[in-house]
């Protein structure tokens, strides 16, 4: 029942997105612009410092994620569909999981594009040296970021100042995700990939996910009750 | 006319006077105790800032935990009293956090040679401060339903502390380890714990004042509603 509702909400979001592709295209283009802006700031004489590609990748994911989160809920607000969604005789936490999976799906698509671009532009072929570990880092980081982000974006729907409040609240709280993601990725990008280090950061990311997904599921119901 | 909110403030008002006097006396005595404490062997005079720097973090984290726990109580029970406690505590936490963030770099400049270092304690303190400034911004500009929103910020901010600490700690570290506090020589430990007690009392004084203000604001709102 729970999983079915979550999947239905996800399917609804995917169906809308497949038809309009509005959030997907804007998010992707924004992510690529981010990479370019950072490239102009950080590339010197055609070379980047050792850890820079990892940093650029994760910053682009975080920025694009914020944009996607805002747009996803703006659509619900604009169509006044969030009320209908919350009135549905379904556990609120299932609705949360559905919305969160939608954001995760969007970010995964963005990452599929971003990773090769970063690898290509910054000569960071090391990203593909340990594909499973790297994919794990990306997945765990994306889930943690989306869990906190979906909760805050949903709450902020009622607020007039939601556009500016979302990043203000989201970035300080998701700093552990950024640190762990960047450090884990940088460990893999070294000339001799440091797998133990990357695994340790992956462990931190997974524990962050467990704690914050639980917290979000626990608080979503009272938060969304008027 | 009976307003329940004011009644609940009575016991608090009775203990406020004595606590205020004790706090004032302790802060008056603190400089003498600190001046008489022995000089730390490597850092010398500048180490004395430690007696105010560390206690302000103690007070800040007390505020953070009070805000987080009462935020959760407000969220799940809907009790507006809990919200008033949480928001008062959060505001004072930000105040003590600013104190820590000002005294820290002053000390760091002299003992490490740099104003700021991205070590675990500093990073954690800065982020917790940012999260709770976010809390205050949400309350001020969040509009309708910002009480619930801020409660969630407090809960998430509190849960975030171990993660920030852990990740920043692995990332890099330079700060004197936390284990230095229990192993302080008693000549330094005495004044230190005295200052901690003084700061905690200061926290209590400010917190009671702030809560009283919040209670009166709520009472005023209730009176307005009754008039209409």
């Amino acid at each position: 029942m729970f999983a079915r509702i979550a999947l239905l909400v996800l399917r609804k979001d995917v169906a809308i997105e497949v038809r309009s592709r509005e959030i997907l295209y804007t998010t992707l283009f924004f992510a690529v612009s981010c990479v370019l802006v950072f490239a102009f700031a950080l590339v010197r004489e055609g070379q980047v410092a050792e850890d820079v590609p990892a940093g650029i990748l994760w910053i682009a994911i975080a920025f694009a994620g914020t944009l996607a989160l805002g747009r996803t809920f703006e659509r619900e607000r604009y169509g006044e569909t969030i009320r209908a969604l919350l009135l549905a005789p379904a556990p609120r936490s299932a609705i949360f999981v559905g919305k969160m999976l939608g954001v995760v799906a969007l970010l995964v698509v963005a990452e599929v594009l971003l990773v090769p671009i970063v690898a290509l532009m910054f000569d960071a072929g090391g990203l593909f040296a340990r594909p499973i570990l790297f994919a794990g880092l990306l997945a765990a980081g994306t889930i943690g970021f989306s869990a906190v982000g979906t909760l805050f974006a949903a709450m902020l729907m009622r607020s007039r100042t939601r556009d500016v409040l979302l990043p203000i609240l989201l970035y300080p709280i998701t700093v552990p995700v950024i640190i762990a993601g960047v450090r884990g990725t940088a460990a893999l990008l070294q000339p001799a990939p440091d797998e133990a280090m990357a695994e340790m950061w992956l462990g931190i990311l997974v524990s962050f996910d467990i704690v914050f997904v639980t917290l979000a599921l626990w608080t979503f119901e009272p938060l969304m009750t008027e | 006319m009976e307003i329940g909110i004011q009644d609940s403030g009575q016991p608090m008002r009775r203990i406020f006077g004595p606590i205020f006097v004790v706090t004032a006396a302790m802060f008056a005595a603190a400089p003498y105790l600190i001046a008489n404490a022995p000089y730390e062997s490597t850092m010398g005079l500048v180490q004395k800032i430690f007696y105010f720097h560390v206690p302000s973090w103690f007070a800040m984290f007390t505020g953070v935990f009070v805000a987080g726990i009462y935020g959760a109580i407000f969220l799940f029970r809907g009790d507006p009293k809990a919200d008033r406690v949480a928001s008062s505590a959060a505001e004072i936490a930000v105040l003590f956090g600013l104190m820590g963030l000002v005294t820290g770099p002053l000390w760091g400049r002299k003992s490490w040679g740099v104003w700021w270092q991205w070590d675990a304690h500093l990073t954690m303190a800065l982020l917790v401060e940012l999260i709770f400034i976010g809390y205050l911004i949400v309350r001020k500009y969040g509009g309708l339903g910002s009480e619930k929103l801020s409660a969630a910020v407090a809960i998430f901010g509190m849960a975030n502390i171990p993660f920030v600490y852990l990740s920043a700690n692995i990332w890099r570290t330079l700060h004197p380890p936390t284990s230095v506090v229990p192993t302080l020589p008693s000549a330094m430990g005495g004044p230190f714990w005295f200052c901690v007690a003084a700061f905690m009392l200061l926290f209590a004084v400010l917190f009671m004042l702030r809560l009283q203000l919040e209670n009166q604001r709520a009472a005023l709102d209730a009176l307005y509603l009754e008039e209409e």
Side-chain angles (χ1 to χ4, degrees):
Chain A
M1 183 65 185
F2 185 95
R4 214 174 66 95
I5 291 167
L7 287 177
L8 275 175
V9 174
L10 172 67
R11 216 179 75 187
K12 167 191 84 75
D13 278 357
V14 171
I16 298 174
E17 195 48 50
V18 165
R19 271 174 222 152
S20 73
R21 299 196 195 91
E22 176 207 331
I23 301 179
L24 184 67
Y25 284 160
T26 47
T27 304
L28 288 182
F29 191 73
F30 178 75
V32 174
S33 321
C34 264
V35 172
L36 288 181
V37 169
F38 282 106
F40 294 132
L42 298 170
V43 175
R44 240 179 88 201
E45 291 171 12
Q47 292 292 316
V48 288
E50 199 180 332
D51 293 346
V52 165
I56 292 179
L57 176 67
W58 282 89
I59 292 173
I61 293 172
F63 282 10
T66 316
L67 196 77
L69 280 165
R71 295 303 304 162
T72 313
F73 282 93
E74 186 63 20
R75 181 184 277 161
E76 295 278 5
R77 202 185 66 88
Y78 195 69
E80 288 180 5
T81 43
I82 190 72
R83 195 175 298 267
L85 203 56
L86 291 176
L87 279 173
R92 292 265 163 91
S93 41
I95 295 172
F96 170 80
V97 172
K99 293 300 288 183
M100 186 187 115
L101 289 177
V103 175
V104 171
L106 259 173
L107 280 179
V108 167
V109 176
E111 283 157 12
V112 166
L113 181 74
L114 273 175
V115 171
I117 288 182
V118 170
L120 213 75
M121 289 180 120
F122 303 108
D123 193 22
L127 287 177
F128 303 110
R130 300 283 183 283
I132 295 170
L133 203 51
F134 180 54
L137 282 170
L138 278 178
T142 308
I143 290 171
F145 184 83
S146 310
V148 181
T150 307
L151 184 80
F152 278 84
M155 289 190 309
L156 280 166
M157 246 188 317
R158 275 189 238 130
S159 168
R160 201 166 32 83
T161 41
R162 64 191 93 75
D163 300 332
V164 54
L165 283 183
L166 181 63
I168 286 182
L169 299 178
L170 188 55
Y171 293 152
I173 291 181
T174 51
V175 156
V177 173
I178 303 291
I179 297 181
V182 172
R183 289 297 112 201
T185 309
L188 290 179
L189 276 177
Q190 280 167 4
D194 190 346
E195 280 183 38
M197 189 60 125
E199 276 164 15
M200 189 210 57
W201 285 116
L202 181 61
I204 291 179
L205 278 175
V206 170
S207 43
F208 182 94
D209 289 359
I210 292 169
V211 169
F212 280 86
V213 170
T214 313
L215 264 182
L217 286 173
W218 187 52
T219 51
F220 188 72
E221 166 100 43
L223 276 171
M224 296 310 285
T225 313
E226 301 253 339
Chain B
M1 203 182 319
E2 272 295 307
I3 301 289
I5 297 153
Q6 280 178 335
D7 296 339
S8 67
Q10 283 308 325
M12 201 170 75
R13 209 175 289 171
R14 217 170 299 142
I15 57 166
F16 178 77
I19 292 188
F20 181 78
V21 173
V22 172
T23 312
M26 282 180 88
F27 269 96
Y32 294 103
L33 284 171
I34 294 171
N36 287 328
Y39 280 76
E40 205 272 341
S41 55
T42 51
M43 287 183 272
L45 183 65
V46 72
Q47 183 267 345
K48 304 255 184 207
I49 208 167
F50 155 87
Y51 296 106
F52 270 26
H53 173 70
V54 180
S56 56
W57 290 125
F58 276 48
M60 181 208 193
F61 280 100
T62 312
V64 166
F65 283 110
V66 171
I69 290 162
Y70 275 84
I73 293 175
F74 170 66
L75 204 54
F76 287 95
R77 300 231 185 101
D79 182 0
K81 249 185 248 166
D83 180 52
R84 294 202 289 270
V85 171
S87 64
S88 309
E91 204 173 298
I92 297 168
V94 170
L95 179 75
F96 279 104
L98 280 179
M99 260 195 234
L101 283 178
V102 171
T103 49
L106 289 177
W107 184 10
R109 178 70 184 84
K110 281 289 176 192
S111 68
W112 300 333
V114 285
W115 292 102
W116 184 262
Q117 265 294 335
W118 290 101
D119 97 313
H121 291 74
L122 270 75
T123 311
M124 174 178 71
L126 178 67
L127 279 164
V128 174
E129 181 75 5
L130 283 181
I131 291 172
F132 278 82
I133 290 176
Y135 180 103
L136 296 183
I137 292 178
V138 164
R139 285 196 82 90
K140 186 134 180 62
Y141 304 111
L144 223 62
S146 58
E147 296 89 7
K148 280 190 174 176
L149 228 168
S150 62
V153 175
I155 298 170
F156 275 67
M158 191 173 72
N160 207 22
I161 294 173
F163 287 102
V164 177
Y165 184 76
L166 183 68
S167 44
N169 200 18
I170 303 170
W171 180 30
R172 48 183 306 142
T173 209
L174 186 80
H175 205 273
T178 320
S179 60
V180 85
V181 170
T183 58
L184 278 179
S186 60
M188 283 188 197
F192 172 69
W193 290 111
F194 181 86
C195 287
V196 169
F199 267 78
M200 291 318 240
L201 284 174
L202 180 64
F203 175 85
V205 165
L206 291 174
F207 175 68
M208 281 194 277
L209 278 175
R210 186 66 186 79
L211 186 59
Q212 189 67 21
L213 177 68
E214 204 64 31
N215 283 339
Q216 278 166 351
R217 201 175 278 165
L220 191 65
D221 283 349
L223 283 172
Y224 264 125
L225 281 177
E226 235 165 82
E227 278 296 302
E228 273 170 19

